[in-house]
Amino acid sequence: MTTAPLPTHFIEALAELDDPRSRSCPFPLDELMFAALCGASSGADSWVSVTDWAELQIDWLRQHLPYANGIASHDTFGRVFSLLDPHQFERFFVRWMQHLCPTLTGELIAIDGKSLRGSHDGGTRMTHLVSAWHHARGLVLGQVKTAAKSNEITAIPELVAALQIQGAILTLDAMGCQHAVVDAIVAKPADYIIAVKNNQPTLAQVRIHHPLLDTPTQPVNPLKPA
């Protein structure tokens, strides 16, 4: 069967990943990665369902990679992915998304944190991820894992720094209303829309005149007595 080479950007992004296995394996890392990403994009939500999908689509997969030894077991998928360096995988994923979305000028990108349901296990806290979501394309451009929701304040600048978001408009909830977050966004440079609550009490008291408001009001100086 004639194979069509994988897109160059996917191969280049894979260079960010080291195979964690110490010896040769009949299932190359690029084959595992390609099957997992395609399976997940098709709705597979477990390693068993990824394997089932890949076995059904083996002829299509072989148009891009040899899969000479067929599809690995779900245990192999789970074991290899659990051994991958998470920081390397993050760089791989971000680099791949940058090729899929080469320009984000004027695009809305939502930065938000979510706890993963089912990730709590005994004394282990739930996994919390801060993600960058592309509204128009329905894609996650990048993610950073944090120890808790309160750590979003440090995770958001890290995520912003890793993304190529020049010219984009980032939306954040009040957790992102921090000097470090805004500095990271402006440095790209990008624009932002951030909710303001009482975590920034002085700013929350200021009502800014804006032509888009239904009832414009005059600016209020929070430092001046009423």
Side-chain angles (χ1 to χ4, degrees):
M1 179 182 295
T2 303
T3 61
L6 289 177
T8 303
H9 59 74
F10 185 84
I11 299 298
E12 291 175 348
L14 273 177
E16 298 284 353
L17 289 173
D18 295 327
D19 194 329
R21 295 166 292 185
S22 59
R23 54 189 175 84
S24 60
C25 179
F27 305 105
L29 184 61
D30 58 351
E31 293 183 359
L32 294 174
M33 187 66 62
F34 186 57
L37 291 173
C38 291
S41 299
S42 300
D45 57 3
S46 69
W47 293 126
V48 172
S49 56
V50 164
T51 302
D52 290 343
W53 178 90
E55 289 175 346
L56 288 172
Q57 300 296 330
I58 184 66
D59 290 338
W60 180 83
L61 290 172
R62 282 175 171 160
Q63 294 178 27
H64 303 281
L65 289 171
Y67 288 92
N69 295 297
I71 302 300
S73 69
H74 66 274
D75 287 331
T76 297
F77 274 99
R79 183 171 60 255
V80 172
F81 272 77
S82 70
L83 294 173
L84 289 174
D85 184 309
H87 297 292
Q88 286 187 358
F89 187 84
E90 178 188 335
R91 290 194 297 270
F92 151 74
F93 188 83
V94 168
R95 185 171 180 179
W96 182 40
M97 288 297 104
Q98 287 170 358
H99 284 284
L100 295 180
C101 306
T103 178
L104 296 173
T105 301
E107 300 287 343
L108 285 173
I109 309 298
I111 306 293
D112 196 16
K114 297 292 182 184
S115 294
L116 299 186
R117 181 182 300 176
S119 60
H120 176 73
D121 183 17
T124 305
R125 293 182 177 181
M126 293 182 67
T127 299
H128 195 77
L129 294 174
V130 177
S131 304
W133 173 258
H134 191 303
H135 284 271
R137 299 201 181 190
L139 290 173
V140 173
L141 301 179
Q143 291 181 325
V144 172
K145 180 181 177 182
T146 69
K149 183 174 178 62
S150 60
N151 289 12
E152 285 185 28
I153 295 173
T154 56
I156 294 174
E158 179 184 346
L159 177 59
V160 170
L163 299 173
Q164 298 297 323
I165 52 173
Q166 289 82 353
I169 303 170
L170 276 60
T171 64
L172 302 94
D173 61 20
M175 182 71 78
C177 192
Q178 305 289 335
H179 289 286
V181 172
V182 174
D183 288 344
I185 296 172
V186 172
K188 295 308 290 187
D191 296 309
Y192 57 87
I193 301 172
I194 304 180
V196 178
K197 292 184 179 179
N198 287 333
N199 63 327
Q200 296 288 352
T202 301
L203 186 59
Q205 293 179 46
V206 180
R207 294 183 298 173
I208 304 175
H209 173 77
H210 194 287
L212 296 181
L213 294 178
D214 292 334
T215 309
T217 59
Q218 292 299 318
V220 175
N221 183 346
L223 301 179
K224 183 178 180 180

